[in-house]
Amino acid sequence: MQISLGPLLYFWPKEKVFEFYRQVAQSNIPVVYLGEAVCTRRRELKFKDYLELATMLKSAGKQVYLSTLALLETPSEYTELKRQIETAGLKIEANDLAAVHVAKEMNIPFVCGPTINNYNLASLLKMHQWGMTRFVVPVELSKDWLQKVMDAHEGPLPFEVEVFGHGHAPLALSARCFTARHKGIAKDKCEFVCIKYPKGLLAQTQEDEPLLRLNGIQTQAAACTDLSSEITVMESMGISHFRLSPSSMASIEIAEKLMSGQLIPTNSNTCDGYWFGEAGFNQCQT
């Protein structure tokens, strides 16, 4: 099983992003997803900057994928999506069906990202027919569900399977920006306020229990998904990739430990409920 580094979902200053990927280039992480997948208003990095990072990472021997936006809202965003896929010269992670359509039309192989709702074997085989080479399991689905899908196919699946194994699970996207709303400003005049929250803005219940992370237009789980204890099980199921979603520079060290079979740091707010068919914020394994 390979460890993959998912796209950076937070809004960081440009120099911090470059420093992060310089360290990734020096690491043993084999698979890297790169690109703005959350909000089109985040423009610290231009598309050419992502291409520069991709060139650096490929020179370091990484498999690099361009991650696309998960929520397209305007015709101009779709036009820009087509331009990027056409000119990047990279394999892509399609995070919504518009990107799937473009990849299919351009005959570009793609990874189907976790924000596309693929819940059955028939839809997955159709995606594979259109060019899907790898399927990232939606975060809310369980191990038992995945096993049933894999068992439903006669013989090995014709595409790879990746599981979101570590990080704050992306749960939902909205046309509204909750970070801007929290600060009392309009989305169109957001002042890029989410750059002040490098791991998102924690939202708690009335009982002061951490519940969600507000990351611009994206809502994440407050607890950190940790399925590292399930890697052996995943390998026996035939899962090919374990995704780590980066949230800090320390994510690189965590990925290195996962690859070498070492225990990774834990904290009091981890979860694995979805994988075991329970509420997502539950911690089933101790």
Side-chain angles (χ1 to χ4, degrees), residues 208-220:
D208 294 330
E209 296 290 334
L211 181 64
L212 301 169
R213 286 184 182 273
L214 306 181
N215 178 37
I217 66 170
Q218 183 185 64
T219 303
Q220 301 179 335

Side-chain angles (χ1 to χ4, degrees), residues 22 51 54 70 95 153 167 186 235 272:
R22 277 193 287 268
L51 293 183
N95 284 311
H153 189 263
E235 287 176 331
D272 58 13

Side-chain angles (χ1 to χ4, degrees), residues 104-161:
K104 173 176 175 288
E105 292 298 305
M106 295 183 182
N107 198 28
I108 296 175
F110 64 92
V111 174
C112 191
T115 51
I116 295 181
N117 296 331
N118 271 316
Y119 293 159
N120 59 71
L121 181 61
S123 66
L124 289 170
L125 291 176
K126 178 57 71 176
M127 289 282 184
H128 175 61
Q129 183 183 348
W130 290 344
M132 183 186 78
T133 57
R134 187 181 307 150
F135 159 58
V136 186
V137 181
V139 297
E140 70 273 23
L141 298 182
S142 69
K143 172 173 60 177
D144 289 346
W145 172 88
L146 180 57
Q147 188 65 66
K148 288 178 182 176
V149 168
M150 299 174 88
D151 290 345
H153 189 263
E154 193 171 328
L157 292 173
F159 47 82
E160 297 176 325
V161 177

